[in-house]
Amino acid sequence: MEVPAYYQQFERNIEIILDAIQAGLDLRTTALGTSLPLEIYVLCEVLNQGGAHFTLTTEGLARVEEFQRQYMQHESETEAEMKRILDDKKSFMRTPEGRVLTKEMLIRRLEFFNEAARQVNVMRTQSALGSPTQYQVPGTAVAR
């Protein structure tokens, strides 16, 4: 998928993820339970680097809802900022790993949220079909 498609699907991808969380899909037992809050944080840093004003006060998966709420309050400004970042081929930002292109940081976040939404859709389908959970609760035996 090309960058413009990720950009166009971003809002929808966030809504898919948030809807699954609100519907009770347990992401805490998956890598998404850890990576979603981190990616939200990095995305906010990228957007703030470009001039947006996202402030995260929550932890864990609650960040998805907090981000979505702030995004919707300033939707047109945030989308304009994303477009500006994607069009800028020279803007750099400092990270713990060094200096990186702001555009590349944004593209990686957009790709992540696209893949996360796809994973969440698969998990919801599996759950709706009655598939067993894919993890073992400590202290329980595995049926053979």
Side-chain angles (χ1 to χ4, degrees), residues 73-137:
Q73 287 175 349
H74 307 285
E75 183 177 4
S76 60
E77 296 94 342
T78 303
E79 287 179 0
E81 187 58 38
M82 288 174 122
K83 180 141 180 51
R84 190 192 65 71
I85 290 171
L86 290 172
D87 290 341
D88 188 349
K89 294 176 176 56
K90 296 179 183 178
S91 175
F92 284 92
M93 65 183 285
R94 290 202 169 278
T95 68
E97 295 79 29
R99 289 171 35 133
V100 294
L101 282 171
T102 309
K103 175 182 178 175
E104 290 301 315
M105 290 290 282
L106 179 57
I107 291 170
R108 298 300 160 249
R109 302 306 67 83
L110 295 175
E111 289 173 336
F112 171 83
F113 287 107
N114 188 68
E115 180 60 23
R118 189 194 65 75
Q119 286 178 333
V120 164
N121 277 335
V122 169
M123 291 171 66
R124 286 189 82 170
T125 301
Q126 288 174 334
S127 179
L129 293 173
S131 296
T133 54
Q134 301 298 310
Y135 63 93
Q136 180 181 354
V137 176

Side-chain angles (χ1 to χ4, degrees), residues 44-53 81 84-85 91 93 102:
C44 288
E45 289 296 312
V46 169
L47 294 172
N48 288 346
Q49 181 80 20
H53 302 287
E81 187 58 38
R84 190 192 65 71
I85 290 171
S91 175
M93 65 183 285
T102 309

Side-chain angles (χ1 to χ4, degrees), residues 2-67:
E2 295 292 322
V3 174
Y6 290 135
Y7 169 73
Q8 291 170 351
Q9 294 294 316
F10 175 72
E11 186 177 334
R12 180 177 167 269
N13 290 336
I14 292 291
E15 288 173 3
I16 288 169
I17 295 166
L18 184 58
D19 185 51
I21 293 169
Q22 290 173 342
L25 188 65
D26 188 7
L27 299 179
R28 294 172 299 151
T29 60
T30 69
L32 291 175
T34 303
S35 60
L36 272 170
L38 291 173
E39 292 292 335
I40 292 281
Y41 173 80
V42 173
L43 176 61
C44 288
E45 289 296 312
V46 169
L47 294 172
N48 288 346
Q49 181 80 20
H53 302 287
F54 285 91
T55 306
L56 298 173
T57 59
T58 58
E59 296 291 324
L61 293 172
R63 279 188 178 172
V64 178
E65 184 175 359
E66 180 181 23
F67 171 79

